[in-house]
Amino acid sequence: MKTKAILTSAIIAALVAATGCTKSSTGRNQITLFSSDELNQMGVTSFEELKQKEKISTDAKTNQFVQCVASAVTQNVPKSVHSGDWEVVVFDSKQANAFALPGGKIGVYTGILSVTENQDQLAAIIGHEVAHVIEQHSNERLSSNQLTQIGAAAGSAILAAQGVENKETWMMAGLAIAKYGFLMPYSRMHESEADIVGQDLMAKSGFQPQAAIDLWHNMAKQSNGAPPEFLSTHPSNQTRINDLTQHLKQSNKLLKSGSTPRCKKPSYL
């Protein structure tokens, strides 16, 4: 037990070493070891690589719809996050997915448009993904992964110095503790934070924040066989619905009357 405690402490110490470097907009302490320039370059590079690999939609009405919603949302993103235009690309794929990257990049897969019933639900998706960028979640994930590696190296050195047998077994146990005790809940925390920040962002952009709740009801219908929440990097659909419902009153206060975008979803989507 003493050996396990030493190893676990080494990994935990590395994970929390940089806590408090920055704060999210919700007031949460963050681990951010990378500069904005580094993250922006990573985002741009990853986006360019993806555009070479994935099929890009050329459907004019689909692109117009997605661009309309994305433009309305990104107009309300702080300039400190990205000061230029956002590049929005629609990928022709059945994946029900979307993403946003540092450097002002947004990708929307056509598969997600069969889940989103209207402009407001698509705004919930895009708002959520852009919220990840606003809150520097990619920086935190990269930083926590780096610290985990440092912690694992430190733990390995401690075990070697003590002449502990079955070092690999202890290392695997320590990394499992880090994964299920820190990294996976950490990712769930990111998702929950992006849900709330994204709901506020879509409201500021003129979209109905109730649609974020409706969206996750739609998602719940398609998520048969999802793993238990404690073994998932994402909160359960019901957790997200509960959190968004609880926050709805606050988001509604941010909704500006008379400023609703008019983005028409093609009837064939």
Side-chain angles (χ1 to χ4, degrees):
M1 291 300 294
K2 183 178 179 181
T3 301
K4 185 176 180 180
I6 292 172
L7 177 57
T8 302
S9 297
I11 295 177
I12 291 174
L15 284 171
V16 303
T19 299
C21 292
T22 58
K23 285 184 178 292
S24 70
S25 69
T26 62
R28 179 178 57 80
N29 289 332
Q30 295 179 293
I31 301 171
T32 51
L33 303 181
F34 297 86
S35 69
S36 295
D37 288 343
E38 288 175 312
L39 266 295
N40 289 343
Q41 186 57 55
M42 290 180 195
V44 170
T45 300
S46 297
F47 200 65
E48 290 303 315
E49 291 176 353
L50 194 59
K51 287 195 296 183
Q52 296 299 318
K53 296 177 181 178
E54 298 283 353
K55 181 180 179 181
I56 296 176
S57 172
T58 58
D59 185 84
K61 290 183 178 180
T62 299
N63 275 274
Q64 184 178 22
F65 172 56
V66 173
Q67 293 284 349
C68 178
V69 174
S71 176
V73 171
T74 55
Q75 285 179 16
N76 292 281
V77 176
K79 297 302 180 184
S80 58
V81 174
H82 183 70
S83 58
D85 294 332
W86 287 72
E87 181 181 4
V88 182
V89 174
V90 180
F91 295 103
D92 190 359
S93 169
K94 293 182 179 179
Q95 283 191 62
N97 199 11
F99 64 88
L101 298 174
K105 308 297 180 182
I106 295 174
V108 175
Y109 292 84
T110 53
I112 199 67
L113 300 179
S114 64
V115 181
T116 55
E117 298 172 341
N118 49 48
Q119 64 168 9
D120 299 287
Q121 290 186 18
L122 179 57
I125 289 286
I126 293 176
H128 171 93
E129 298 303 331
V130 171
H132 281 306
V133 178
I134 293 173
E135 301 303 332
Q136 302 188 79
H137 290 164
S138 57
N139 196 332
E140 287 189 273
R141 288 171 183 172
L142 287 169
S143 300
S144 64
N145 287 339
Q146 186 173 85
L147 289 171
T148 299
Q149 293 174 12
I150 294 172
S156 180
I158 292 171
L159 293 176
Q162 293 189 344
V164 175
E165 296 181 359
N166 300 322
K167 182 176 67 174
E168 291 76 12
T169 300
W170 284 111
M171 286 301 302
M172 289 178 64
L175 290 173
I177 292 170
K179 178 180 179 181
Y180 293 109
F182 290 88
L183 298 182
M184 291 182 72
Y186 201 46
S187 295
R188 290 199 294 271
M189 179 171 57
H190 285 167
E191 291 298 323
S192 295
E193 188 171 61
D195 281 345
I196 298 305
V197 174
Q199 190 180 38
D200 285 349
L201 179 60
M202 66 182 292
K204 292 176 184 177
S205 305
F207 298 100
Q208 295 293 329
Q210 170 64 40
I213 301 167
D214 299 336
L215 170 70
W216 284 106
H217 280 292
N218 294 349
M219 290 289 197
K221 296 175 183 177
Q222 298 193 4
S223 62
N224 293 333
E229 183 171 352
F230 76 94
L231 289 178
S232 173
T233 57
H234 289 60
S236 68
N237 293 315
Q238 192 57 54
T239 295
R240 305 181 94 143
I241 290 168
N242 293 344
D243 290 346
L244 289 164
T245 300
Q246 184 176 359
H247 191 70
L248 181 60
K249 185 176 180 180
Q250 183 63 35
S251 290
N252 277 331
K253 293 178 182 178
L254 301 173
L255 185 61
K256 296 179 180 179
S257 60
S259 62
T260 303
R262 290 178 172 82
C263 306
K264 185 177 180 181
K265 180 181 178 180
S267 59
Y268 50 81
L269 289 177

